């Protein structure tokens, strides 16, 4: 199924578990957010507590120094980690990022080729969820990593 972009209505999201929501993004049954279209990333894999976001870096992602802007890497990590937390939540529950920290380990350029950001839940309670994320290239080399703390709340 081809991917579309937009938002999921509050009524529709209210009826879905977090995992069903994230799996809908993967399958194309639900629209990806519009920043995914702008930046060119995809939500590629999802299971309970784990989400993978993919992107092929292009010249459109470069900063003045000629490497991929750190904000793009931050967006990929924020997305995969937040969606990993979302994938553990019951219907009627949402999450939002309270804070996140990232470390950029290697420069990313269009020559890097496809990259993947994998988020994994560390802990998810009633009010707070934490996750870690790793951005790697096709050879498995670590490009960046991070952690997040998410607030969990009724939708």
């Amino acid at each position: 199924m081809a991917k579309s972009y937009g938002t999921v209505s509050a009524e529709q999201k209210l009826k879905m578990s977090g995992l069903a929501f994230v799996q809908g993004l993967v399958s194309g049954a639900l629209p990806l957010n519009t920043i995914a279209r702008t930046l060119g990333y995809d939500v590629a894999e999802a299971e309970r507590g784990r989400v993978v976001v993919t992107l092929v870096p292009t010249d459109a992602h470069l900063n003045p120094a000629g490497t991929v802007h750190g904000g793009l890497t931050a967006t990929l990590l924020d997305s995969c980690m937040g969606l990993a937390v979302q994938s553990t939540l019951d219907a009627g529950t949402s999450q939002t990022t309270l804070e996140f920290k990232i470390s950029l380990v290697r420069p990313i350029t269009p020559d890097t080729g496809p990259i993947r950001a994998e988020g994994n839940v560390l802990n998810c309670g009633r009010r707070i969820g934490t996750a870690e994320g790793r951005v790697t290239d096709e050879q498995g080399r670590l490009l960046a990593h991070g952690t997040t703390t998410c607030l969990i709340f009724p939708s």
Side-chain angles (χ1 to χ4, degrees), residues 24 30 41 80 107 117 123:
L30 296 175
Y41 70 83
C80 74
N123 185 64

Side-chain angles (χ1 to χ4, degrees), residues 39-100:
L39 297 177
Y41 70 83
D42 189 23
V43 181
E45 299 175 30
E47 60 188 65
R48 183 174 171 79
R50 180 184 159 275
V51 171
V52 174
V53 174
T54 58
L55 173 118
V56 177
T58 70
D59 290 343
H61 300 126
L62 300 181
N63 62 27
T67 60
V68 168
H69 193 285
L72 176 68
T73 308
T75 299
L76 297 178
L77 284 165
D78 187 37
S79 297
C80 74
M81 294 184 299
L83 288 173
V85 171
Q86 184 71 41
S87 74
T88 67
L89 302 180
D90 294 331
T93 310
S94 296
Q95 60 79 33
T96 190
T97 303
L98 284 175
E99 63 85 26
F100 70 99

